[in-house]
Amino acid sequence: LDNRLLAERVDAAAVAANSVTTLAPFDLDSMLAREGLVLVRLTLTDSRGALLSQNTYWQGRDAASYRRLNDLAPQSVAIAARASAHDSGAEARLDVVLTNRGREPALAVKITMLDARGERVLPVYYDDNYVALLPGESRRIEVQCPAGSTPCAKVALRGWNAEPLEVPVVYGGR
């Protein structure tokens, strides 16, 4: 939780589409015995190194170990929200970039789209949400908002230990 890399492993595997390959388990026992609670990041890339999937898990030695999550300091997460060139009459596509400016992980970071009055806009579709951001890390989330009478005007951010924030969406200027 203090942003130290405890271990790293890279496995190369040739896996056919729509198939499953099981890799050797990653031994966390010694780290859990020493640290009590660790974050485990699993990243899947293609043969060219392009990111396909990334998941972060909170792993604790026992149920009491998870209480350390309550001690995480609030982290400042910056938001940049811009309407992309994909605007159409039925929907607007937004690129929302989140950046953890803190010195600890920001966990379970979630965005919600709001209208100009601050009311939640529905339906909205996110290509990711509830993300974990390590210090200095950025994540781009693509958002599909309805266009028309109640467009997405603001992005609200909340998280386990992220400082709450609302920012306006920037339209135009393409």
Side-chain angles (χ1 to χ4, degrees):
L1 295 180
D2 62 2
N3 203 36
R4 287 179 295 125
L5 179 64
L6 300 175
E8 184 174 34
R9 184 174 109 189
V10 176
D11 293 314
V15 181
N18 297 321
S19 64
V20 175
T21 297
T22 301
L23 301 172
F26 193 76
D27 184 14
L28 294 175
D29 292 339
S30 64
M31 285 175 269
L32 291 173
R34 187 175 60 249
E35 303 292 329
L37 180 71
V38 298
L39 299 179
V40 178
R41 163 115 356 132
L42 299 179
T43 302
L44 176 65
T45 60
D46 66 14
S47 60
R48 294 176 301 278
L51 181 66
L52 300 175
S53 177
Q54 185 176 74
N55 295 286
T56 303
Y57 301 92
W58 315 345
Q59 296 293 302
R61 176 182 53 227
D62 52 33
S65 298
Y66 290 97
R67 291 187 187 124
R68 287 190 54 209
L69 293 171
N70 293 325
D71 297 331
L72 287 172
Q75 300 301 297
S76 173
V77 177
I79 303 173
R82 182 173 302 278
S84 67
H86 305 292
D87 295 354
S88 69
E91 68 178 25
R93 289 184 188 241
L94 310 177
D95 289 322
V96 178
V97 179
L98 308 175
T99 303
N100 181 357
R101 292 195 251 173
R103 297 202 316 238
E104 294 180 355
L107 302 177
V109 176
K110 162 194 184 317
I111 59 172
T112 303
M113 303 310 297
L114 306 175
D115 65 16
R117 296 182 323 265
E119 299 291 324
R120 187 171 180 191
V121 177
L122 293 172
V124 173
Y125 301 97
Y126 307 87
D127 74 348
D128 203 354
N129 222 343
Y130 289 99
V131 298
L133 296 167
L134 300 178
E137 184 177 36
S138 293
R139 179 80 50 89
R140 179 186 159 277
I141 299 175
E142 186 176 293
V143 181
Q144 295 178 25
C145 286
S149 62
T150 57
C152 294
K154 298 185 227 177
V155 180
L157 179 136
R158 304 288 183 270
W160 180 272
N161 65 319
E163 294 173 349
L165 179 64
E166 287 184 14
V167 300
V169 173
V170 176
Y171 284 91
R174 289 180 285 263

